[in-house]
Amino acid sequence: MKSIFRSERAVLGFLASAILLLISAGTAQAAANVATVTVTVVGKKQAPPAIKKEDLELFQGKERQQIADWRRGETLFLAILIDDSLDQEVASQWRDLKAFIDAQPPTTSIAVAYSRNGSAEVAQDFTSDHALAAKALRIPLGTGGSYSSPYLSVQDWIKRWPDHGGDRRSILMISSGIDFFRGGFDPVDPDLDSTVSQAQKKNINIWTIYYPDAGHVGRRFFRVFNSQSNLSRLSEETGAESYYLGGGVPVNLKPYFDEIQDHLENQYLLSFAGNGGKKGKFERIRLSTETPNVEFILPSAVFIPPQ
C-alpha cells in the first residue's frame, strides 16, 4: 500500500513539474512577443495633458487589444545627422541648434554625425555631456560632400545603434533629401522603404528638416518636390514629423527645433502583446482616447518580434 502511495505522489510531482514548465515556457513566449513603440501626444492649440493608461483604447485592425504597459519615456537617445552636402550657409543656424542641444534634459544622450558617402560619419558618440555634443557641430563640406545618400546613412547608423532596451530613440536629420548616390528621377527613393522598415524595427523616430544642398541640380523644382516628399514619408511612417518651407531656404530653423522639443517632452512608451510568428511581422495599430483636444503621432506600422 505504501508503495502505491509513493507511486501516486511521484506521478503527481511529475505532473506538477510539467505544468510549471509549460507555464514558464508560455510566460517566456509571451514576453518575447511584446512590442514596444514610442507614441507622441500632441495637444491642439495647447500643451497636452498627462495621458493615463485607462484613458486609451488600442486597436489592431478592427480588434481592440489589451495594453500591457503605458509609461512616460524618461530616457532618450537622440542622434543628430547632418547632410554633408548642404549649403554651408546652414551653419549660421548652428547657434539655435546648440541651444536646442543645451535645452535637453540630463536623461537625454546626444550624438552627432554627418551623412557622407552613404554612411554616418560619427563626430561625437552618444553622451550626456551636451556641451561636448554641441562642440561636434561644424560647417558642412558643401559640394565636397556630394554624391551621398541620406537614406543609406540612416541605415548605416541604425545598424550600429547600441541596444538601449526599451528607451526612446530619435534621429534629427537635417538634409536636402537628395540621393546623389542611388537616387534618380523616380519620385520615391529606392532606399526609402528599407530605411523606414529598419527604423520601425528599432523603434526609432526620424524627425527631418529640409535644407537645400550646395549644388544647383538639387534645386530644380521636381527634385525638391520629390526629396521633400521622401523626407515627409520617412518621418510620418516612423512616428515623427517633417519640416520645410516650400522650395526655399528656411530663414530660421528655431521654430522647428522648438516644436520638436515640445514633441520630445510629451512621449510615452506603449507596450502590447502580439503574435510575431517565426520571423516577426509588422502590424498597423491605432490609438483613441476620449480626452479632448489630443491626438497621437505614432509609426505607420509596429514590428512585433518573433516568438
Side-chain angles (χ1 to χ4, degrees):
M1 184 67 69
K2 291 183 179 179
S3 61
I4 294 176
F5 288 152
R6 292 195 194 98
S7 299
E8 289 178 348
R9 285 198 296 269
V11 170
L12 290 174
F14 174 79
L15 289 174
S17 300
I19 291 171
L20 288 174
L21 286 173
L22 288 173
I23 292 174
S24 300
T27 302
Q29 183 176 358
N33 285 272
V34 172
T36 299
V37 61
T38 301
V39 178
T40 303
V41 180
V42 180
K44 298 178 181 179
K45 299 182 180 180
Q46 59 183 2
I51 303 296
K52 300 178 181 178
K53 180 179 176 182
E54 53 267 27
D55 299 330
L56 298 171
E57 288 186 342
L58 171 65
F59 295 90
Q60 188 173 332
K62 294 183 179 180
E63 297 183 3
R64 183 175 176 180
Q65 301 292 335
Q66 184 176 1
I67 297 175
D69 191 25
W70 172 264
R71 59 185 173 87
R72 276 277 190 179
E74 300 296 341
T75 304
L76 171 65
F77 288 84
L78 174 63
I80 298 174
L81 180 61
I82 300 170
D83 198 326
D84 234 350
S85 67
L86 294 183
D87 190 317
Q88 294 183 334
E89 288 294 326
V90 72
S92 64
Q93 308 279 354
W94 284 178
R95 180 177 180 180
D96 291 327
L97 181 54
K98 289 181 179 180
F100 169 79
I101 292 174
D102 291 339
Q104 301 307 309
T107 53
T108 297
S109 294
I110 301 175
V112 177
Y114 292 84
S115 173
R116 186 169 70 250
N117 298 326
S119 63
E121 302 291 335
V122 178
Q124 174 59 56
D125 209 345
F126 286 105
T127 176
S128 57
D129 186 341
H130 299 164
L132 184 62
K135 287 181 180 179
L137 297 176
R138 60 165 174 78
I139 300 175
L141 296 179
T143 54
S146 297
Y147 306 106
S148 63
S149 167
Y151 309 102
L152 291 179
S153 297
V154 171
Q155 291 187 31
D156 176 58
W157 208 347
I158 290 176
K159 291 176 183 177
R160 293 184 284 134
W161 198 290
D163 185 10
H164 300 127
D167 296 319
R168 291 178 298 147
R169 308 177 182 96
S170 276
I171 293 176
L172 169 56
M173 183 168 75
I174 305 175
S175 173
S176 68
I178 302 292
D179 184 348
F180 292 101
F181 187 64
R182 281 169 49 86
F185 296 97
D186 294 333
V188 179
D189 188 88
D191 297 305
L192 180 59
D193 288 339
S194 56
T195 305
V196 168
S197 62
Q198 289 184 31
Q200 289 176 345
K201 280 187 176 181
K202 289 290 187 74
N203 187 29
I204 298 176
N205 308 132
I206 304 179
W207 312 85
T208 58
I209 296 177
Y210 169 81
Y211 200 93
D213 61 33
H216 296 288
V217 176
R219 301 200 184 198
R220 295 174 181 173
F221 174 78
F222 75 94
R223 297 209 73 169
V224 171
F225 178 80
N226 289 343
S227 65
Q228 290 179 347
S229 297
N230 287 327
L231 291 175
S232 294
R233 183 178 163 192
L234 177 63
S235 293
E236 290 171 4
E237 297 196 10
T238 60
E241 290 192 338
S242 183
Y243 302 89
Y244 51 88
L245 183 65
V249 180
V251 177
N252 190 354
L253 299 183
K254 186 178 184 302
Y256 301 157
F257 296 141
D258 290 344
E259 185 166 319
I260 293 172
Q261 176 67 27
D262 290 339
H263 290 330
L264 295 178
E265 291 175 352
N266 292 282
Q267 289 189 319
Y268 296 77
L269 290 169
L270 166 69
S271 298
F272 64 97
N275 183 5
K278 294 182 179 180
K279 297 182 179 180
K281 63 180 179 180
F282 293 93
E283 291 285 355
R284 295 183 179 273
I285 64 170
R286 179 173 58 88
L287 273 178
S288 66
T289 180
E290 293 184 356
T291 304
N293 300 319
V294 166
E295 60 184 19
F296 303 107
I297 301 176
L298 66 163
S300 60
V302 178
F303 183 72
I304 300 178
Q307 292 183 357

